[in-house]
Amino acid sequence: SGSIDISKVQDDEVGDGTTSVVVLAGELLREAEKLVNMKIHPMTIIAGYRMAAECARNALLQKTMDNKDNTDKFRSDLMNIAMTTLSSKILSQDKEYFAELAVDAVLRLKGSTNLESIQILKKPGGSLKDSFLDEGFILDKKIGLGQPKRIENANILVANTAMDTDKVKIYGARVRVDSMSKVADIEAAEKQKMREKVEKIIGHGINCFVNRQLIYNFPEELFADAGILAVEHADFEGIERLALVTGGDIASTFDNPESVKLGHCKLIEEIMIGEDRLIHFSGVAMGQACTIVLRGASEHVLDEAERSLHDALCVLSQTVNDTRVIFGGGWPEMVMSKEVDELARRTPGKKSHAIDAFSRALQAIPTIIADNAGLDSAELISQLRAEHHKENSTVGIDVISGGLGDMQKRGICEAFKVKQAIVLSATEAAEMILRVDEIITCAPRRREDRM
């Protein structure tokens, strides 16, 4: 479960690089096992790994690029990072298209990593290319009959309350009925109660009412007569996010209108996506909010597309915060590996074996990149190592041409923060497992000594 956990940690912290963490930790452990068999103590290995990880991180730090002051260049960095992330996912065919979507969405956030305000809406039908980015918020609901189809300068009350007549009980008591006329009276009283509730809601000075629960015909008519757009049965995630982006609260009682925060937006209208009608809120209070509508042939494709897009959005929002960028395609691992290798030669004692092992483990990632592309990894990695002995090489594996390529020209980039997290998490995980192993491997031997 160790590796599952680190993949999860990596996903939570930076949202991408989940596979690499597990691969690297696995390689570090495989190397450690050989060292243990050479009678090197696990604590020595851990100490060496720590030195190596620190060295690897510093090697990368010196090679980072930062274009935060140049908007156009930074945008192209972001595009490159998004395309690099997406090329290993289902969206790889349309990666430029989706990279645009993701970069636009993240630049709207203006540096916050709160991805809550980017809504991803999945609508089966059409092709992936029909996906689009829309400013504002889209609620997956139809506008009811006889209701206004568009509202400007909307004041929105988001609520979670029962609006079905038969649930409003009179005086909270059961009533025995001895004649039909009494039933009519009770119904009239219930209607009256409902009308009072609706009037209270209208009294908030709103022109749009979104409710989590059902709204029966009678109250719906009342809202329509007042020219208020009433939306019923919105899903919970929908209303939470709607309240967030329009700056309102979710209300459940309506007795003191002055204490309820209403949501605001410039325009509410009905839009069509495929054959579905939806409600679009634009010009919302939270300016950075936007919706990415994903289209695709099947639910399965949509789910996969959503995950891929989520990874791209995470990495991009991290990069907007920490604008340091490095090349991809196995280049960073080779840079780190080379530095770690030199550290191993300078370090006396058994630790140097562990540092050396760390350098080998780092090369597993370029090896796997090559293997996955069906290339001759042994041949490529040795060429790559030779290339990296020159100063400031920008060569990595170009899976498209099937050989080495210049990462700078190909625009293959990754975020520094993601790589750093990969190295540190993998080292930590390997360390944890080694510590446990140590207890197991060393315990039985002591008993033999006593005999």
Side-chain angles (χ1 to χ4, degrees), residues 291-321:
T291 299
I292 295 177
V293 179
L294 289 180
R295 306 300 311 278
S298 66
E299 288 288 338
H300 174 75
V301 171
L302 286 175
D303 288 344
E304 196 45 58
E306 180 185 25
R307 272 193 293 278
S308 315
L309 198 59
H310 167 260
D311 278 5
L313 289 173
C314 287
V315 177
L316 288 174
S317 70
Q318 293 285 348
T319 313
V320 171
N321 261 359

Side-chain angles (χ1 to χ4, degrees), residues 63-65 325-335 338 383-384 386-398 403-413:
K63 303 267 186 178
T64 55
M65 300 170 288
V325 180
I326 51 175
F327 297 117
W331 174 87
E333 286 77 15
M334 295 311 284
V335 169
K338 177 183 168 194
Q383 285 180 10
L384 199 51
E387 276 295 332
H388 273 264
H389 266 287
K390 303 172 191 161
E391 282 304 302
N392 297 335
S393 162
T394 54
V395 176
I397 297 170
D398 179 359
L404 297 185
D406 186 338
M407 296 293 114
Q408 195 163 11
K409 293 201 186 75
R410 297 302 311 243
I412 297 176
C413 293

Side-chain angles (χ1 to χ4, degrees), residues 371-426:
D371 286 342
N372 286 349
L375 308 173
D376 178 353
S377 59
E379 172 66 23
L380 274 177
I381 298 304
S382 46
Q383 285 180 10
L384 199 51
R385 212 180 293 142
E387 276 295 332
H388 273 264
H389 266 287
K390 303 172 191 161
E391 282 304 302
N392 297 335
S393 162
T394 54
V395 176
I397 297 170
D398 179 359
V399 289
I400 317 292
S401 69
L404 297 185
D406 186 338
M407 296 293 114
Q408 195 163 11
K409 293 201 186 75
R410 297 302 311 243
I412 297 176
C413 293
E414 300 182 56
F416 168 71
K417 198 161 178 183
V418 176
K419 267 291 177 249
Q420 167 178 293
I422 290 173
V423 175
L424 301 183
S425 315

Side-chain angles (χ1 to χ4, degrees), residues 27 30 52 62 111 182 236 241 277 349 394 421:
E27 285 300 320
R30 184 178 310 164
Q62 284 156 14
K182 287 261 175 56
F236 189 64
R241 187 172 264 146
R277 304 234 277 294
T394 54

